[in-house]
Amino acid sequence: MRLHRLDLTAFGPYPRHESVDFDALGQDGLFLLHGDTGAGKTTVLDAVAFALFGTVPGVRGEVKRLRCDYAEPDTATEVVLEFTVQGHRLRLIRSPEYERVKRTGDGVTVQRARASLTWIGAAPSGHSPDGLTRIDEVARTVQRLLGMTAEQFFQVVLLPQGEFARFLRSETGEREQLLERLFGTQRFADVERWFREIRQVRGHAVQELRQQVRELVARVSQAAGEEPPTDDGNPEDAPDSAWLAAVRARLADDAVLSGKFDMQAREARDRTEAEHRRQLTLADRIRRIRSARTTLAELAESAAQRQAWAAEVVAARRAIPVLATHRTAERAAAESASARRAEERAVRALPEHGDGWTELLALPGADGVAALRERAGVLRDEAGELRPLVAETERQRADEARLASAVERELAASKTVRHVAELLTGMPERMIAARTALDEGYQAAGRVAGLADRVAELDALHRDALRLPGMLRAAAAARTVATEAIDHHQLAREALLDLRQRRLAGMAAELAGDLRTDQPCAVCGSATHPAPAVPTGDQIGPADERAAAESEQRTGARREQLTSAAVEAEQRLAALRERLADHTAENLSRELATLSDEYETVRACAELLPARGARVTALDQEAEALHRRQSVAQRELATATADRATLATLIADRIERLALASGSFPDVVARRAYLLDAVHALDACAEARSVQLGAATRQTEAEAALVAAAEQAGFAEPAAAMAAVRDEPTIAGLTERLTTAECRAAAAKAVLAEPELAGIDPAIVVDVTVAEAHAVVAATEAEQASLVFGAAQRREQEVGHLADRLIRAWRQLAPVEADHQRLVGLADVVNGRGQNARRMSLRSYVLAARLAEVAVAATCRLQQMSQGRYSFVHSDAAGPRRTRGGLGLDVLDDYSGQIRPAKTLSGGESFLASLSLALGLADVVATETGGALLDTLFVDEGFGMLDADALDQVMNTLDELRAGGRVVGIVSHVEELRQRIPVRLRVKKARTGSTLELTAG
């Protein structure tokens, strides 16, 4: 894969459109990406990663804030990348999700993420020539063309030295996580998990079968009535288990023996039950004879009583017709009394003002009824003549009420008109004053925002002015400290160069010190050493050189840190002076005080604006309401005056006519009501007297019919007939007693006449207790024997059924247990336990093989960079305290011939080892994934800790990479690299955002 061009807009710290021409940068095969700290060097690499995969490496990808904070609201965030992969050139365009200002209205809206892929030239077979626009389709196509995931790409193309330095010093667990992500060994982890899960599943199955066997053994033992065996019934020899055979034989013998006892008990029960039935039959016959004779004797004693009952029943039946006539006479008498009372109530209801009632009521019979009805007709006619005047009376009352209401409304309206006129006095002056105050508030509100911004601006400038002396001192101190750090670094560098020169001068003596008799020389190969060099008094050794190099590195790092701090202090001071211009703290303070007072005055006036607006609105509404109220009151006054005059005329015309019609009554309504009441009362008296006459006639006729009915039924008088009356339940009861006595006598005689009772002496005494006791004992013994026999049979059947199931369970358990044992052993080996002597899981074993390949590939780089001193050594030994091994990575020091941990390397050596490891890992991952050839690599930081020689070796290694056709981009701010690498991409930092600049030469 080779990158051609990158365009980014409003991305990261870049607010505008920036372009990176990788073809121009890669003409020499090596370019430098440099700039100030925080300028945005790594963002260029993030843009490449985002264009390809829609995400960025590390923790920056977790934040998901990719849009530039300095970009204009209308500028869209977008990354465009052109690259060639597997012979196809394509263009990727991506935009992240971010919030933007709405085009219409206020507020913000979410701009959704977008992605598109376009083929430059002919599209590959199976792909649309129009390209892709769906995010998921673009992601799948890019990953398929590159042959690696985003995580792998970040590791093999964007080589982060810090992560590989941690990888170099990390423990097995951390290395395992990184290698698993890079080499995609999740499938081996799935195999390990599958073995663990299947072992657990099979283990549960074995436990279930074992539990089933134990439960069946316990159920067999429980059914057989004995304790279960301790060995689960010898499952190794299940079909011929001695314990199970003995149990089944014992239960069969118990069933045969209990069957014999059951037969004998049933025969004894049958004999005792037959004797008991014979005794019961004889005792029952004797009882029946005695009972029949006792019944006949009792009936003979009560014969006189039964004759009296019969006579009472006959008399009661003769009195039944007389009872009906008596009830008719009683009803007629009650009706006559009720009619008399109704007549008396009607007489009392007559009006008290009438005259002539006494003469009418004194007339007898039908004449009195006719006279009452005639008088009622006369009064009804008079009431009808008064009916039209009743309606006129009601109108008169209504008009009088309306007249009073009209007078009240006239007074109230006149009062309201005077009150509203008083309220309207002075209203124009109040309106003018309120509107003037409102205008002042509007003017203050228009000034308050500008004054507030000006006060805030002056306040910020005043604070900056107060900070100026301190920043001057801080900048001067930073310059002094940076100058001292530069001097110290120069001294340390000169000391290092001097030590190296002196060591080179005494190198012969140092090599001579390693010579051994009869051992070949490392330089010439000879085993004889005729004149080895002799060290001088000031001989320099490797330890001295390492100490000087470490001192130079420390002072260099401090120099770079303090120099950057001094530059930043100067930049902050210059920016502050630019903001302050000619202002001083004193004049800013005076101007701020004056402007603050003015702002407070205007703000206080502006705060009153809502209240003043409400006051004007309230006065407008009040005036409008008063005018409406005044108009309504005037109209009401005119209407009430006209109504009063009209009603007074109507009432005066109607008074004389109504007074004449009322007579002695208060008004016509009262007189007509009296007449109607009298009509109703007279009609009621006439009706009540008519009903009373009819009821008296019916009472006389009913009493005569009662006397005739008593004589016809054979009674001397009606009272005698009423004395003989009995109700139906009494008659039925007497009849039932007579019938029962007759039935008892017939039944007793029939019993004594039965043939089977002939010849039996009722005096014989029969005792069935002894026979019954013998029968009960025999029945109990037979039932118990039957229960024992049934239980023995059921026990034998149940044990037989359970025994068959137990044998099948034994046969099923044996092969399952054997398979489970083999599976447990295999699962332990796969997961690094059991017989796995290396304590390595399958995944660790695969990763160890991959790490061994990485170590071989990285060793080639490391030996070249370290001039043959260091090599990577892969170890698959178990860790301390029997922890898992397989991912150990140490270094072989050729100077000492010893293998030592990577943690013991110095800072510069760690960088060389990390870079070698990163390059080797990139080669192995690219080969492992079968991905596209990676023609563009980026190396991120770490060069500042190298000395000149180590830097030369690293550059030689990178030269080999570009000699093979690759383009290598170095991300660093080391000054010496700017002298070595002519093609550079510089990132410039400013307060308004960063920009990119391509330089060559």
Side-chain angles (χ1 to χ4, degrees):
M1 181 195 76
R2 179 177 292 275
L3 305 180
H4 298 295
R5 182 180 179 84
L6 175 68
D7 293 281
L8 58 158
T9 305
F11 186 86
Y14 302 99
R16 290 169 293 278
H17 176 265
E18 303 291 340
S19 296
V20 181
D21 189 349
F22 286 106
D23 290 336
L25 285 173
Q27 288 181 356
D28 195 36
L30 184 67
F31 67 90
L32 176 67
L33 177 59
H34 68 100
D36 296 334
T37 302
K41 302 186 295 296
T42 306
T43 305
V44 176
L45 310 185
D46 290 345
V48 174
F50 176 74
L52 291 170
F53 298 100
T55 184
V56 297
V59 296
R60 299 186 302 279
E62 299 174 2
V63 179
K64 297 182 179 180
R65 291 188 71 251
L66 302 181
R67 177 168 173 81
C68 179
D69 295 334
Y70 309 109
E72 295 294 331
D74 296 334
T75 303
T77 300
E78 185 179 74
V79 177
V80 182
L81 178 67
E82 289 187 14
F83 65 101
T84 298
V85 58
Q86 295 187 4
H88 301 286
R89 183 160 177 167
L90 58 153
R91 179 185 295 109
L92 276 173
I93 302 176
R94 283 190 189 267
S95 294
E97 180 180 289
Y98 62 91
E99 290 185 347
R100 62 171 176 82
V101 179
K102 292 183 178 179
R103 295 186 176 90
T104 58
D106 298 332
V108 297
T109 184
V110 176
Q111 179 68 45
R112 300 299 180 186
R114 295 180 292 106
S116 66
L117 183 150
T118 306
W119 307 102
I120 302 176
S125 60
H127 291 276
S128 172
D130 298 332
L132 305 172
T133 56
R134 288 181 49 180
I135 295 178
D136 55 343
E137 293 178 349
V138 172
R140 288 194 297 268
T141 302
V142 171
Q143 184 169 340
R144 183 171 60 253
L145 291 174
L146 292 179
M148 61 183 69
T149 64
E151 186 68 32
Q152 292 170 331
F153 180 85
F154 297 157
Q155 295 294 337
V156 302
V157 178
L158 313 177
L159 304 178
Q161 297 308 303
E163 291 190 16
F164 281 98
R166 289 195 299 272
F167 176 80
L168 191 65
R169 296 181 175 90
S170 61
E171 301 298 334
T172 299
E174 299 179 21
R175 288 179 183 159
E176 186 176 50
Q177 294 177 3
L178 175 61
L179 293 174
E180 183 177 6
R181 292 197 304 269
L182 294 178
F183 292 107
T185 57
Q186 183 59 38
R187 60 187 184 278
F188 299 104
D190 294 340
V191 171
E192 295 175 14
R193 184 175 64 255
W194 181 86
F195 269 102
R196 292 194 298 270
E197 292 175 353
I198 196 65
R199 176 179 62 185
Q200 185 177 9
V201 172
R202 297 285 178 83
H204 289 167
V206 171
Q207 292 299 325
E208 290 177 359
L209 288 175
R210 287 175 179 170
Q211 182 62 26
Q212 182 179 356
V213 167
R214 288 192 291 269
E215 290 177 355
L216 287 172
V217 170
R219 291 180 62 183
V220 168
S221 302
Q222 182 180 5
E226 61 182 31
E227 293 294 328
T230 58
D231 57 353
D232 288 344
N234 189 17
E236 292 78 5
D237 192 15
D240 300 322
S241 173
W243 167 77
L244 189 60
V247 169
R248 300 183 72 170
R250 181 178 62 79
L251 294 179
D253 294 341
D254 291 345
V256 172
L257 182 60
S258 60
K260 293 179 180 179
F261 286 138
D262 178 58
M263 184 178 296
Q264 295 173 1
R266 282 191 280 108
E267 292 175 353
R269 181 195 61 195
D270 294 342
R271 289 194 301 272
T272 55
E273 286 181 350
E275 177 61 22
H276 182 227
R277 286 194 298 272
R278 190 185 66 80
Q279 294 289 339
L280 286 175
T281 301
L282 178 59
D284 182 65
R285 291 175 179 176
I286 294 173
R287 181 189 58 76
R288 290 172 61 195
I289 293 174
R290 293 176 180 175
S291 177
R293 291 182 177 180
T294 301
T295 299
L296 291 175
E298 292 175 353
L299 292 175
E301 293 178 356
S302 60
Q305 181 65 42
R306 289 198 302 278
Q307 291 177 358
W309 289 346
E312 186 177 352
V313 170
V314 170
R317 293 188 184 280
R318 287 190 295 109
I320 290 175
V322 182
L323 178 61
T325 306
H326 180 264
R327 290 176 178 172
T328 301
E330 286 182 343
R331 286 195 299 272
E335 290 176 358
S336 178
S338 177
R340 285 195 300 272
R341 290 192 296 272
E343 182 183 6
E344 293 174 357
R345 287 195 300 271
V347 171
R348 289 196 299 270
L350 288 173
E352 298 179 357
H353 293 83
D355 53 359
W357 302 147
T358 304
E359 292 79 2
L360 292 174
L361 294 175
L363 295 175
D367 295 337
V369 173
L372 289 173
R373 288 177 176 170
E374 181 181 0
R375 178 62 62 86
V378 173
L379 296 180
R380 187 178 290 108
D381 293 339
E382 293 181 7
E385 294 174 355
L386 294 176
R387 183 174 182 180
L389 295 177
V390 170
E392 194 170 354
T393 301
E394 294 298 330
R395 286 194 298 271
Q396 181 77 347
R397 291 176 180 174
D399 289 344
E400 291 175 350
R402 290 170 58 195
L403 177 60
S405 175
V407 172
E408 293 178 359
R409 286 189 289 113
E410 184 180 10
L411 293 175
S414 178
K415 183 178 180 180
T416 301
V417 168
R418 291 193 302 272
H419 178 66
V420 171
E422 293 174 358
L423 292 177
L424 287 173
T425 303
M427 179 61 72
E429 291 78 6
R430 286 187 290 164
M431 289 290 297
I432 292 172
R435 292 188 183 278
T436 301
L438 180 62
D439 293 339
E440 293 177 356
Y442 278 124
Q443 293 176 0
R447 296 182 59 200
V448 69
L451 288 174
D453 294 340
R454 181 59 180 158
V455 168
E457 182 180 355
L458 285 177
D459 184 60
L461 287 175
H462 182 252
R463 290 197 300 271
D464 290 342
L466 294 176
R467 289 168 48 212
L468 181 60
M471 293 186 66
L472 288 171
R473 292 191 296 272
R479 286 194 300 271
T480 301
V481 174
T483 302
E484 294 175 355
I486 292 173
D487 295 341
H488 292 165
H489 179 242
Q490 293 295 339
L491 293 175
R493 189 174 184 83
E494 292 174 359
L496 174 62
L497 294 176
D498 180 64
L499 281 175
R500 284 179 176 172
Q501 187 65 33
R502 292 166 60 189
R503 186 186 177 194
L504 289 175
M507 185 61 70
E510 183 178 339
L511 293 175
D514 294 332
L515 294 177
R516 299 292 183 269
T517 305
D518 298 330
Q519 291 185 2
C521 176
V523 178
C524 65
S526 174
T528 60
H529 316 296
V534 178
T536 62
D538 57 348
Q539 181 69 34
I540 303 302
D544 299 327
E545 184 179 357
R546 283 197 300 272
E550 291 176 357
S551 176
E552 190 272 339
Q553 290 175 0
R554 287 194 301 273
T555 56
R558 177 172 175 79
R559 168 188 176 176
E560 183 176 353
Q561 178 183 3
L562 295 178
T563 302
S564 299
V567 171
E568 291 179 0
E570 291 288 349
Q571 291 175 347
R572 291 194 297 270
L573 180 60
L576 181 60
R577 283 175 169 173
E578 182 179 356
R579 287 197 302 273
L580 290 176
D582 296 331
H583 294 290
T584 63
E586 291 76 9
N587 60 26
L588 285 174
S589 178
R590 290 192 299 272
E591 186 176 356
L592 179 62
T594 302
L595 193 62
S596 297
D597 294 339
E598 182 180 0
Y599 167 72
E600 291 298 330
T601 303
V602 173
R603 184 180 61 82
C605 183
E607 289 177 351
L608 297 176
L609 179 60
R612 292 178 177 179
R615 173 63 176 167
V616 171
T617 303
L619 287 175
D620 288 339
Q621 294 174 352
E622 182 182 356
E624 184 179 357
L626 288 174
H627 286 299
R628 287 198 303 269
R629 186 178 175 188
Q630 186 180 41
S631 299
V632 171
Q634 289 173 349
R635 288 195 299 272
E636 180 66 20
L637 176 60
T639 302
T641 302
D643 290 345
R644 176 180 58 77
T646 302
L647 291 173
T649 302
L650 290 175
I651 291 171
D653 293 342
R654 199 182 290 133
I655 290 177
E656 183 177 356
R657 186 171 59 257
L658 293 178
L660 181 62
S662 298
S664 61
F665 290 90
D667 53 27
V668 176
V669 176
R671 182 183 176 191
R672 186 171 183 273
Y674 164 76
L675 294 175
L676 291 177
D677 291 341
V679 169
H680 294 158
L682 290 173
D683 287 340
C685 285
E687 183 64 25
R689 176 166 292 187
S690 176
V691 171
Q692 191 275 333
L693 291 174
T697 301
R698 288 192 295 275
Q699 179 182 9
T700 302
E701 293 174 352
E703 290 176 352
L706 177 60
V707 173
E711 292 177 354
Q712 186 178 358
F715 294 99
E717 55 183 6
M722 292 300 100
V725 171
R726 298 289 186 273
D727 56 12
E728 285 299 327
T730 302
I731 296 174
L734 295 174
T735 303
E736 183 180 1
R737 291 178 184 177
L738 293 173
T739 302
T740 300
E742 293 176 357
C743 292
R744 290 179 62 196
K749 293 176 181 178
V751 168
L752 295 176
E754 291 179 1
E756 63 182 9
L757 300 181
I760 296 177
D761 185 4
I764 297 175
V765 177
V766 178
D767 188 3
V768 299
T769 304
V770 177
E772 182 180 8
H774 290 167
V776 170
V777 172
T780 302
E781 292 177 352
E783 183 178 1
Q784 292 177 351
S786 177
L787 292 174
V788 171
F789 179 52
Q793 288 181 320
R794 289 192 299 273
R795 186 181 300 111
E796 183 182 13
Q797 293 175 357
E798 182 179 2
V799 170
H801 175 68
L802 294 173
D804 294 340
R805 291 177 57 189
L806 179 58
I807 292 173
R808 289 195 299 271
W810 280 336
R811 290 174 177 172
Q812 184 180 1
L813 176 61
V816 173
E817 281 188 326
D819 291 343
H820 181 252
Q821 292 300 323
R822 290 192 295 271
L823 178 62
V824 169
L826 182 58
D828 287 341
V829 171
V830 169
N831 285 276
R833 294 187 292 273
Q835 299 180 3
N836 190 334
R838 294 180 182 272
R839 309 292 291 175
M840 293 172 59
S841 65
L842 177 62
R843 178 179 52 177
S844 298
Y845 181 77
V846 174
L847 292 177
R850 298 293 184 269
L851 184 59
E853 297 176 8
V854 172
V856 172
T859 296
C860 297
R861 312 283 189 191
L862 182 59
Q863 286 184 341
Q864 180 180 359
M865 295 183 190
S866 64
Q867 299 179 348
R869 178 177 181 180
Y870 293 112
S871 302
F872 283 112
V873 178
H874 168 248
S875 173
D876 58 1
R881 296 183 295 277
R882 301 294 292 169
T883 57
R884 290 190 302 177
L887 300 180
L889 191 64
D890 300 322
V891 291
L892 172 61
D893 189 347
D894 188 64
Y895 285 4
S896 64
Q898 301 294 321
I899 296 175
R900 56 193 177 102
K903 297 179 181 179
T904 62
L905 296 176
S906 65
E909 293 169 341
S910 295
F911 170 74
L912 297 178
S914 301
L915 180 59
S916 302
L917 189 62
L919 295 173
L921 186 62
D923 294 338
V924 173
V925 170
T927 303
E928 171 67 21
T929 59
L933 180 63
L934 304 176
D935 294 327
T936 305
L937 296 176
F938 294 93
V939 182
D940 189 3
E941 293 296 349
F943 293 88
M945 62 183 67
L946 299 179
D947 57 28
D949 294 337
L951 184 59
D952 289 338
Q953 297 301 324
V954 171
M955 296 302 296
N956 291 336
T957 301
L958 298 179
D959 284 339
E960 288 185 0
L961 292 177
R962 65 174 179 171
R966 293 185 176 182
V967 176
V968 180
I970 297 177
V971 183
S972 179
H973 52 72
V974 176
E975 183 68 26
E976 190 171 351
L977 290 176
R978 302 182 191 177
Q979 308 300 325
R980 289 174 174 264
I981 302 175
V983 181
R984 299 184 296 276
L985 181 64
R986 181 185 178 187
V987 182
K988 294 182 177 180
K989 180 173 67 173
R991 294 181 61 85
T992 58
S994 299
T995 56
L996 295 175
E997 180 183 74
L998 175 63
T999 59

